[in-house]
Amino acid sequence: MRLIIEDHVFEKVRLFYDVAIELHPTLDEATVLRKERRLIDSLQFLTLFPEAYGFARHNETWRDAGFREFVCEDFHFAYTIRVLKSGERIVIVKDAVHSLLYHD
């Protein structure tokens, strides 16, 4: 199974950490890069067990779109599972938001 992470998901994670670095001088770039790498690595798990996580419950936009939700390191990720005409199944990560910003 293949994993596709939409570009704006990376942008949202990066924007959050850019602001965090500004607000917390002890947070350095190396730490942020390690955190981002762990997030990306954890998303790979979705290719093994994509149905293991339930549908989004708290974000109305995600619920309406029928997205599933995966949480890792205080980030919520919205994703969907698609089957291509070839029969290949893919996981598409559509959105991300940090728990501090997560609300309806």
Side-chain angles (χ1 to χ4, degrees), residues 30-45:
T31 301
V32 167
L33 290 173
R34 283 193 306 272
K35 287 177 175 282
E36 290 175 338
R37 183 77 252 155
R38 282 194 309 267
L39 285 172
I40 300 307
D41 290 346
S42 69
L43 289 171
Q44 294 296 328
F45 182 76

Side-chain angles (χ1 to χ4, degrees), residues 1-90:
M1 185 175 293
R2 189 166 32 126
L3 175 70
I4 297 172
I5 304 170
E6 293 187 353
D7 289 340
H8 72 272
V9 172
F10 292 110
E11 292 168 11
K12 289 180 100 173
V13 170
R14 189 65 197 158
L15 179 60
F16 175 84
Y17 282 124
D18 285 347
V19 171
I21 287 172
E22 291 285 323
L23 295 175
H24 305 283
T26 58
L27 183 62
D28 62 9
E29 187 71 23
T31 301
V32 167
L33 290 173
R34 283 193 306 272
K35 287 177 175 282
E36 290 175 338
R37 183 77 252 155
R38 282 194 309 267
L39 285 172
I40 300 307
D41 290 346
S42 69
L43 289 171
Q44 294 296 328
F45 182 76
L46 293 175
T47 64
L48 301 174
F49 303 103
E51 287 90 1
Y53 300 94
F55 290 95
R57 295 179 301 172
H58 302 293
N59 183 305
E60 184 177 350
T61 304
W62 293 4
R63 272 195 324 260
D64 292 347
F67 293 155
R68 292 179 176 270
E69 184 173 349
F70 173 70
V71 181
C72 179
E73 297 211 16
D74 287 329
F75 269 92
H76 296 252
F77 293 94
Y79 71 96
T80 188
I81 305 164
R82 295 283 183 247
V83 179
L84 301 179
K85 290 180 183 179
S86 66
E88 179 186 11
R89 293 169 36 110
I90 59 173

